[in-house]
Amino acid sequence: MVDRLNEDALDRLSEAIARPSYDRLSMKTGIVHLGVGAFHRAHQAAYTDEVMALDPAWGIVAASLRSADTYDALEPQDGLYTLSVRSEAGEALRVIGSISRVIVAPRAIEDLLAVMSDPATRIVSLTVTEKGYCHDPATGALNEAHPDIIHDLANLRTPRSAPGFVIEALRRRREARLPPFTVLTCDNLPSNGRTVKRVLTRFAELVSPALGRFVVEEVSCPSTMVDRIVPATSDDDRARIAEALGVADAWPVVTEPFTQWVIEDRFPQGRPAWEEGGAEFVADVEPYEHMKLRLLNGSHSTLAYLGYLCGYETVAETMADPAFVRLIESLMNEEVAPTLHMPAGTDLVPYRRALVERFKNPALKHRTWQIAMDGSQKLPQRLLGTVRDRLRDNAPINRLALGVAAWMRYVTGIDENGAPIDVRDPMVARLQERASRAGPDAERLSGELFTLREIFGDDLPRDPRFTGSVTSALKKLYAQGAKRTVAEI
Ligand code: CS2
């Protein structure tokens, strides 16, 4: 009796469950992925699985930079896991086989660096979240005071951070006269390829000028736009999926039917034929990235802070409130869309409509609390870039300002009923120190938080149109609560 998903169990799954059509034993490692979270497994690993039959050279060795959870779940499963695609229409299950091995970086540093430095590895991809780049979110520059960066520069051979691993592996390849791998960032950063190149270049320069030049001249960092909503897996998901599989899967991932991956085609060492799995290759990703970060993620963060303050647990629950649908539609139509400059032929109207439907998907339990995490790293590219463009055009920013104000209200760590909020953010200590200094006073709170240059830059705190709009939205949130504020805007 097989009770766990693994290679042996594949033949016994019911017909309805899709599974790898290729021989997993002939798979070679062409990709090392850093950050093996749910998003990678529902997105890039699924695209790669889709095209593996075309070329088995592109197997993935996936590393987690911190916890051993994914390793513990997938190692007994031969790297296999279930991808569940859910909507009101039902659930489709597919077993993904593109990950051949999981490595827990902190306890296998040398092992990970060895695979990254192997001649067969031609791509190192990353989903390490915004904060994983150890950069200053407002400027995109490497944060040289970041404890992990200080550690890694002093201990090149035993890195902790994503930039530290990438640079040490590149250093070894250069020394061995091997060509560098392509660095493929799949995180929601602005101009993500350019940002990662800048961070890596600076790190490398601090190691040696020659390594800095090598990164500038030889390392390709294509930008990507990645999109798929992937909430954290719950125990209910595990139980439901085990029932359908007939075997247990310790870590399935649950997602929506929609998926999009737009990539700049700059892979000097080759790449999988991801286009056969639905990816789009373009010369310049930036317009798509702006569209997605500003429309989807900007709305998502706005929904997360305001929805949480209203007591809504999930995005779908928040979107069941018609006042929120109105807010998000008008935010997108009136304040965000006018800042986008899309290539001819892109129609934003169906894109925006689809977003509203995606947010409403009742089969996804995407917690507002989950999206609210790490706001200090997210606001710049999700809301503040749009704010800057609007201010340049002298255009109103009421809804964008409400999103920023809701973030300020949220990071105080006390909700509208006086209960604590579990704020997760790399800057949480500084945020809450400022919030407690200010007390429940909109003017003082916004004043304290505007001084955070890493988030707001030097320009926004000096623009009274911005500070005024945010402070007046924050006053409303304090005076009448989030529900009424949203209903009235
Ligand atoms: C979300 C994103 O958690 C978040 O901050 O906004 O993870 C979002 O679901 C994805 O970017 C969708 O592609």
Side-chain angles (χ1 to χ4, degrees):
M1 167 65 187
V2 183
D3 59 4
R4 188 77 179 260
L5 175 64
N6 58 28
E7 277 289 343
D8 294 334
L10 281 179
D11 293 341
R12 300 175 224 186
L13 302 177
S14 99
E15 296 258 308
I17 293 157
R19 70 208 69 182
S21 58
Y22 47 90
D23 171 20
R24 290 187 77 231
L25 291 179
S26 59
M27 204 159 75
K28 308 259 185 317
T29 303
I31 301 174
V32 174
H33 183 79
L34 305 185
V36 60
F39 184 72
H40 171 69
R41 295 195 287 130
H43 194 271
Q44 304 100 57
Y47 281 87
T48 307
D49 178 79
E50 193 79 44
V51 302
M52 192 69 75
L54 302 174
D55 184 354
W58 295 108
I60 303 172
V61 166
S64 49
L65 293 186
R66 290 195 164 56
S67 108
D69 296 359
T70 310
Y71 173 88
D72 292 343
L74 298 197
E75 205 269 338
Q77 299 183 182
D78 303 318
L80 296 166
Y81 62 92
T82 315
L83 178 67
S84 147
V85 176
R86 284 194 100 192
S87 67
E88 234 170 343
E91 177 167 45
L93 301 179
R94 166 175 157 208
V95 174
I96 303 289
S98 50
I99 298 183
S100 58
R101 189 154 75 95
V102 178
I103 295 180
V104 186
R107 64 186 194 206
I109 298 177
E110 204 37 54
D111 193 9
L112 175 55
L113 286 169
V115 213
M116 293 173 79
S117 318
D118 191 281
T121 297
R122 287 179 280 162
I123 296 173
V124 169
S125 55
L126 300 100
T127 50
V128 292
T129 80
E130 296 85 348
K131 62 177 177 284
Y133 294 86
C134 309
H135 70 312
D136 174 347
T139 62
L142 179 71
N143 175 4
E144 294 172 32
H146 192 295
D148 288 351
I149 297 302
I150 294 175
H151 170 276
D152 289 1
L153 283 167
N155 303 276
L156 288 178
R157 282 166 186 76
T158 53
R160 281 183 191 153
S161 71
F165 272 102
V166 172
I167 292 300
E168 173 58 7
L170 287 171
R171 192 189 66 76
R172 292 184 185 194
R173 293 181 81 102
R174 178 168 174 267
E175 210 170 74
R177 302 194 178 283
L178 287 173
F181 42 69
T182 298
V183 178
L184 187 65
T185 161
C186 297
D187 279 294
N188 288 314
L189 300 173
S191 312
N192 59 4
R194 240 188 303 153
T195 302
V196 77
K197 176 118 181 185
R198 187 151 167 222
V199 162
L200 293 176
T201 301
R202 181 66 191 147
F203 190 112
E205 278 167 354
L206 292 170
V207 176
S208 78
L211 192 60
R213 272 195 306 280
F214 176 73
V215 171
V216 170
E217 286 161 16
E218 310 277 335
V219 181
S220 181
C221 303
S223 279
T224 64
M225 181 268 255
V226 291
D227 189 8
R228 193 164 216 190
I229 294 176
V230 191
T233 304
S234 68
D235 288 337
D236 284 352
D237 295 325
R238 285 190 181 82
R240 190 186 64 250
I241 290 165
E243 178 80 14
L245 291 177
V247 293
D249 177 349
W251 213 329
V253 285
V254 179
T255 188
E256 58 175 342
F258 184 93
T259 181
Q260 192 175 14
W261 195 7
V262 189
I263 315 169
E264 284 171 2
D265 204 356
R266 297 192 279 115
F267 293 80
Q269 309 306 320
R271 59 163 175 84
W274 280 314
E275 66 276 24
E276 302 295 328
E280 301 155 66
F281 284 90
V282 299
D284 179 13
V285 157
E286 204 153 293
Y288 300 93
E289 193 180 74
H290 274 162
M291 169 186 85
K292 192 262 172 173
L293 286 173
R294 292 182 174 194
L295 287 171
L296 187 153
N297 298 106
S299 302
H300 238 183
S301 290
T302 304
L303 284 167
Y305 299 118
L306 288 166
Y308 186 97
L309 293 172
C310 289
Y312 295 134
E313 198 180 339
T314 65
V315 173
E317 209 182 308
T318 312
M319 288 295 280
D321 178 340
F324 270 93
V325 176
R326 280 198 301 275
L327 169 68
I328 292 306
E329 282 176 342
S330 59
L331 170 72
M332 292 199 286
N333 299 349
E334 287 163 40
E335 297 188 9
V336 183
T339 69
L340 301 174
H341 305 284
M342 300 306 295
T346 319
D347 188 354
L348 288 178
V349 176
Y351 183 81
R352 294 194 310 249
R353 283 207 193 110
L355 276 183
V356 171
E357 293 315 308
R358 291 171 64 194
F359 293 152
K360 284 183 181 167
N361 184 347
L364 293 187
K365 304 278 174 263
H366 203 185
R367 294 178 67 194
T368 47
W369 176 81
Q370 189 189 347
I371 300 164
M373 256 185 250
D374 296 346
S376 66
Q377 316 292 302
K378 293 174 175 174
L379 289 194
Q381 59 275 24
R382 295 182 177 208
L383 296 173
L384 303 178
T386 319
V387 164
R388 286 192 176 88
D389 287 356
R390 297 285 290 170
L391 293 175
R392 202 193 43 224
D393 295 345
N394 248 317
I397 54 162
N398 301 343
R399 296 167 184 86
L400 292 159
L402 177 58
V404 177
W407 169 77
M408 292 183 165
R409 180 67 189 81
Y410 180 91
V411 298
T412 62
I414 299 163
D415 75 8
E416 292 185 355
N417 302 314
I421 302 174
D422 179 8
V423 178
R424 302 281 176 95
D425 193 293
M427 287 176 68
V428 67
R430 289 165 69 200
L431 294 171
Q432 298 202 329
E433 180 195 293
R434 282 171 163 73
S436 64
R437 208 154 53 210
D441 177 290
E443 202 112 21
R444 292 181 56 189
L445 177 60
S446 65
E448 286 283 351
L449 295 176
F450 286 142
T451 62
L452 294 165
R453 297 275 186 266
E454 305 83 327
I455 303 175
F456 296 104
D458 291 320
D459 55 339
L460 290 178
R462 283 205 294 254
D463 192 324
R465 294 171 299 173
F466 174 68
T467 55
S469 308
V470 173
T471 306
S472 96
L474 191 55
K475 277 187 186 149
K476 286 203 186 107
L477 289 175
Y478 270 115
Q480 53 188 42
K483 238 184 200 149
R484 243 184 86 191
T485 307
V486 171
E488 279 179 9
I489 200 166

